[in-house]
Amino acid sequence: MNNVQLDGDLSLSYNQLMSLDDVTVDTLPEKKGMIMKHTEYLIRSTNYNSSSQRRYTDFEVFYDLLVMRYPYRMVPRLPPKKIGMTDHFINERRKALARFLSIISRHPVLRKDPIVQFFFTVEVHDFHIHLKDKIEEQLNVVSGDVNGMKTELANMLQSVTVLRDLSERWVNRTKAAAYDLQMYSNELSVLAGEGQTVSAWSSHKGDAWSKLREGMRGLSAQFSNLSERVGRQRIEEDAGILENIALLLDILQGVKDLVDRREKGVNKEHQQAFSRVQQLKKQKGSIAASGQGTGAGIQEKIEQQESLINNIGLRNNFSVLCLHWEMKQLYTYLSHFGVIWNCFVKTQLSAHNDLCSLWQGTGKFTSLMTSAQSSAPISYQSAQPSAPAPSYGGPSFYDM
């Protein structure tokens, strides 16, 4: 069931299409069945090099399965059922069944389906029962995979969401680092005072400050280069890591939404239809118990609802297959993790190697700044008088 083909060469010429298979259907002369006699048909196929016997019920099951599996492919109609068949009717049905199988076996997509091959090649008694059992068995396997995947899907969705958040913070930190490095560059440039002069008095007539300014100018250029390299690292991280994780998260969320839609759609419809049947049966029982009639109208509604339940069941089976296909596609996309972490490691190695060289390039400027020596400072000690001050021999204040 999980090998359903969704593609095929749909551009074949008429002659190529006709050459894909040659199917014949013949009526077996002896009718089968202990009580209810039924006609069996001998089917031959050149493509499968097979010969098998089928009854009309086998065709019905085969048709229902094809419609379920390929709701958007062209599946031809079966000839109608009839009670009290004449030889003419049986012959017309035989020709219609031959046309039906010819169209199926020449369809570029349907002919590749394992169920079609199973129909043409397997020879067993009560084939339709075996066909149903085969589908039921495969559906159970697929359903088990789907049920197990729902839990795994929730876990993966949670983990990839955390990885996405971590990656966003990582990229934002890289972006902030690039901005901060550029701010370092700007402020060092301001301190270096490009185009400004410093008085000899303020610099104590030494060369220390001029060396510091020269070192800061060099550091400013290096920090600008560092900022530019970290900025490119941020772009690489955003495109190679964050975007790819976001892609996986979108796919995981899309499958999760599909699971939710299926459970809220087909399952809910099935429960509502089943509940409606139970209500109608209770109404019919009440009418029969009261002797007010046979409840023929209600019985018709019951049959309609049961037909609806059967159709919903087919849609449910197909929805399980679709979900299984989408989960297989999801697992294919999970290989993207290799791309993500390979990009992550390569980006960090490349960036850190370049940054290491740039940081090492700052050494000559920091060495220049740490080697700057100040000139001897000007002495501010009080000057000692070389000779005593002359005495005043004039009249005193108090003598006035």
Side-chain angles (χ1 to χ4, degrees), residues 184-199:
Y184 272 115
S185 174
N186 295 343
E187 296 307 318
L188 285 169
S189 179
V190 171
L191 277 174
E194 288 289 350
Q196 298 179 16
T197 59
V198 180
S199 67

Side-chain angles (χ1 to χ4, degrees), residues 19-80:
S19 67
L20 290 177
D21 200 1
D22 184 17
V23 177
T24 60
V25 177
D26 295 313
T27 305
L28 292 175
E30 183 180 351
K31 293 188 176 181
K32 304 293 183 67
M34 295 295 294
I35 300 176
M36 297 294 293
K37 297 292 184 179
H38 60 267
T39 302
E40 289 204 352
Y41 303 92
L42 178 63
I43 301 168
R44 295 186 180 92
S45 165
T46 58
N47 176 54
Y48 295 105
N49 191 25
S50 62
S51 176
S52 56
Q53 296 182 23
R54 300 286 180 261
R55 55 183 293 188
Y56 184 78
T57 303
D58 301 332
F59 281 89
E60 287 184 306
V61 174
F62 182 51
Y63 172 82
D64 289 341
L65 291 173
L66 288 178
V67 171
M68 178 189 75
R69 290 159 67 81
Y70 298 97
Y72 302 113
R73 296 291 187 188
M74 188 276 294
V75 179
R77 287 186 179 184
L78 283 174

Side-chain angles (χ1 to χ4, degrees), residues 106-367:
R106 291 170 181 164
H107 193 287
V109 175
L110 301 184
R111 66 191 299 269
K112 299 179 182 180
D113 192 288
I115 295 302
V116 175
Q117 181 179 359
F118 188 75
F119 183 87
F120 276 100
T121 60
V122 175
E123 185 63 58
V124 292
H125 182 64
D126 290 332
F127 175 82
H128 60 284
I129 297 177
H130 289 273
L131 186 57
K132 285 183 176 179
D133 291 342
K134 180 178 176 65
I135 297 302
E136 190 67 31
E137 176 185 342
Q138 293 181 344
L139 276 173
N140 288 337
V141 172
V142 172
S143 299
D145 290 344
V146 170
N147 292 332
M149 180 57 188
K150 286 170 62 177
T151 301
E152 190 172 355
L153 176 65
N155 294 335
M156 285 193 293
L157 187 60
Q158 181 178 2
S159 294
V160 175
T161 300
V162 173
L163 288 173
R164 190 273 316 274
D165 295 341
L166 288 171
S167 299
E168 284 183 344
R169 291 206 294 271
W170 186 285
V171 172
N172 287 335
R173 284 197 299 269
T174 305
K175 181 179 180 181
Y179 175 82
D180 290 345
L181 285 166
Q182 188 58 52
M183 292 300 296
Y184 272 115
S185 174
N186 295 343
E187 296 307 318
L188 285 169
S189 179
V190 171
L191 277 174
E194 288 289 350
Q196 298 179 16
T197 59
V198 180
S199 67
W201 181 86
S202 62
S203 63
H204 296 195
K205 297 182 179 180
D207 63 352
W209 182 234
S210 63
K211 288 183 178 181
L212 289 171
R213 290 173 64 192
E214 182 182 352
M216 283 189 285
R217 281 194 293 271
L219 282 178
S220 175
Q222 284 297 96
F223 273 97
S224 181
N225 292 335
L226 286 164
S227 174
E228 188 274 334
R229 183 60 185 90
V230 174
R232 284 193 286 117
Q233 177 186 346
R234 194 275 303 173
I235 294 173
E236 293 166 1
E237 290 173 348
D238 184 73
I241 302 169
L242 191 56
E243 278 300 309
N244 283 316
I245 289 180
L247 173 66
L248 279 183
L249 189 60
D250 287 345
I251 294 170
L252 284 164
Q253 188 61 59
V255 176
K256 174 65 166 56
D257 292 343
L258 174 60
V259 172
D260 294 341
R261 287 199 305 272
R262 176 181 172 272
E263 292 182 347
K264 293 178 181 179
V266 176
N267 287 353
K268 185 177 180 180
E269 287 183 66
H270 191 276
Q271 292 173 359
Q272 290 175 341
F274 184 78
S275 176
R276 178 60 176 161
V277 168
Q278 298 304 311
Q279 293 174 359
L280 290 171
K281 287 182 177 180
K282 288 182 179 179
Q283 293 179 16
K284 182 180 177 182
S286 300
I287 292 174
S290 63
Q292 297 178 357
T294 61
I298 294 180
Q299 179 60 35
E300 183 179 352
K301 292 181 180 179
I302 291 174
E303 292 175 358
Q304 291 174 353
Q305 288 295 315
E306 288 178 340
S307 176
L308 176 61
I309 290 174
N310 181 61
N311 290 335
I312 293 174
L314 292 175
R315 286 165 50 200
N316 178 69
N317 290 341
F318 180 71
S319 72
V320 170
L321 287 173
C322 290
L323 190 55
H324 188 64
W325 294 331
E326 297 304 326
M327 288 179 173
K328 286 177 64 178
Q329 181 177 232
L330 168 60
Y331 274 107
T332 301
Y333 267 108
L334 290 181
S335 298
H336 219 54
F337 273 124
V339 176
I340 293 169
W341 301 122
N342 183 55
C343 179
F344 196 115
V345 172
K346 283 189 173 181
T347 298
Q348 302 310 308
L349 285 174
S350 175
H352 283 76
N353 284 334
D354 292 345
L355 292 173
C356 181
S357 298
L358 289 170
W359 281 113
Q360 287 176 342
T362 64
K364 59 184 178 181
F365 301 112
T366 57
S367 296

